[in-house]
Amino acid sequence: MPDMTPTKRPMPLLDPVDRVKTFDEVATGYSAEDAAAESLRCLNCKNKPCISGCPVGIDIPAFISELRNGNISEARRIIGLSSSLPAVCGRVCPQENQCEKHCVRGIKGEPVGIGRLERYVADNAHAGCSERPVPTGKKAAVIGSGPAGLACAGALAAKGVSVTVYEALHVPGGVLVYGIPQFRLPKEIVADEIKSLKDMGVEFVTDCVVGKTITLSELREENDAVFIGSGAGLPGFMGIEGENLNGVFSANEFLTRVNLMKAYREDSATPIMHAKNVAVIGGGNVAMDAARCAKRLGAEKVYIVYRRSEQELPARREEVEHAKEEGIIFRLLTNPVAITGENGFASGIECAVMTLGDPDESGRRKPIDSGERVHIDADCVIMALGTSPNPLITRSEPGLATGRKGCIEADDNGKTSLPGVYAGGDAVTGAATVILAMGAGKKAAAAICEYLGIS
């Protein structure tokens, strides 16, 4: 019989007082007892509504059922049929807006902790070395080794396609390694997932900027198909006075220095600013990551400056809660209008106090300038305002159609305006979630196989 306890088994966490002094993972994961107890809350619904919320279509009741019966290896196998990055997704996916949103248990209580169970299975049952399928003789190039590229590469390799992944940075993983902090997603987890792909025969070429080091045209000549999963790494700015002052960073640069280059370590050759007062502009997960990193670098005060109210914050609720626990100060209904400085360095931000009007096109209430102004002291300002695709690839290939904000135009299966070229993830949608990018990569791989005549 299912356990009808109305609340999830809580996730064990490091103490906030201790964790702000380290980059160790905050959520320590379920124990075997926790996982067993939480698995009993699943009703194993006949209609399986949770699956409809999963962008890669994991058979959630099936893997939870195997976990409940003690068959953790079989649970891992079931997840692996749909997802190539379960240890990653179990940590960073917004399950509350996807699979768990549709969970029947959420009607009269909390939904089953699907993401927490996925993480437990991935962490405690190895997928094993996948047998290499019979080669088809077909070759594909994948541009970008973020979640879309990795998902596409894995799905193609499983069908016997020879896959080479091209990565601009010196380490594969894309946003998983440069964008998400160690305390949310340990890089060892990403390395393990990439090793699994290498075991399947996927090759990785790093330090290769497509559009500069090699062109899309050259990749098309050398391969039977190309997938573009280059992400959205071009940062946005506000265009306000003072953005060129020293001490003003994009969240991309700041997080890359911290996460990829490990600037927080004493032996790192990459410098980073150790500021006293830090203001992070924005309210998404990237803003939370930047703020929490700044706190760990020793900042006395770290502010999240967001122009709407807490109700409209786009960040995951648990990330907001963790930030608050760690002492991050939220300055809501506050919008920067200028960055002030002294001797070429940032010293603070002048902000408009906002009120909320009617909902705008995003469905959230529109922020309106009240006319009141406030000042926040800050010797470091981090812009976490969203990103758009880097134009290097599209500028070097005029035949590749683009749309709003330079995003590549592709149909629902990832097909672009160029024959044999497919695209997915943030390069098509703009900045979104890891699991949505994975879903796009997986769907594009299926379309590529159809294009190549592989069943």
Side-chain angles (χ1 to χ4, degrees), residues 228 230 389 393-394 400-404 406-410 416 423 427-429:
I228 303 173
S230 49
I393 295 174
T394 53
L400 186 63
T402 58
R404 183 174 176 268
C407 293
I408 297 170
E409 291 188 349
T416 73
V428 172
T429 62

Side-chain angles (χ1 to χ4, degrees), residues 71-295:
N71 302 323
I72 188 170
S73 295
E74 180 62 13
R76 176 65 178 81
R77 187 193 69 81
I78 291 170
I79 295 172
L81 293 174
S82 303
S83 173
S84 56
L85 303 172
V88 172
C89 294
R91 286 169 164 82
V92 303
C93 283
Q95 290 94 4
E96 66 275 13
N97 293 323
Q98 296 175 158
C99 54
E100 294 182 14
K101 180 180 179 180
H102 298 270
C103 178
V104 172
R105 293 301 305 271
I107 297 174
K108 294 184 178 180
E110 291 185 342
V112 174
I114 297 169
R116 297 172 183 180
L117 293 177
E118 180 184 16
R119 168 182 167 165
Y120 174 80
V121 170
D123 286 354
N124 291 279
H126 296 292
C129 181
S130 302
E131 291 185 11
R132 298 192 182 189
V134 177
T136 60
K138 300 295 185 180
K139 294 173 59 180
V142 172
I143 302 171
S145 64
L150 295 178
C152 184
L156 290 174
K159 291 291 187 178
V161 178
S162 176
V163 182
T164 302
V165 179
Y166 295 86
E167 169 57 48
L169 298 174
H170 63 284
V171 175
V175 70
L176 302 176
V177 294
Y178 77 75
I180 304 177
Q182 179 80 6
F183 56 78
R184 275 217 298 137
L185 177 61
K187 302 309 160 229
E188 300 81 8
I189 297 292
V190 182
D192 285 345
E193 302 284 23
I194 290 171
K195 182 180 182 300
S196 295
L197 294 179
K198 290 180 178 179
D199 289 342
M200 293 175 64
V202 177
E203 295 185 7
F204 288 83
V205 178
T206 55
D207 296 310
C208 183
V209 181
V210 177
K212 289 291 184 180
T213 311
I214 191 171
T215 66
L216 178 57
S217 294
E218 290 171 326
L219 290 179
R220 294 178 68 198
E221 291 174 3
E222 297 171 3
N223 295 273
D224 299 297
V226 177
F227 174 75
I228 303 173
S230 49
L234 189 65
F237 287 89
M238 297 186 71
I240 60 177
E241 181 182 350
E243 278 188 318
N244 290 325
L245 289 167
N246 291 307
V248 180
F249 299 87
S250 69
N252 287 48
E253 178 187 352
F254 182 78
L255 290 173
T256 298
R257 287 174 179 267
V258 173
N259 301 326
L260 181 63
M261 310 306 293
K262 297 183 171 51
Y264 59 89
R265 294 189 343 195
E266 291 183 1
D267 61 349
S268 175
T270 299
I272 195 161
M273 185 176 185
H274 293 267
K276 180 178 180 181
N277 298 314
V278 178
V280 180
I281 317 303
N285 290 327
V286 173
M288 302 303 147
D289 287 343
R292 296 171 69 194
C293 283
K295 190 71 174 180

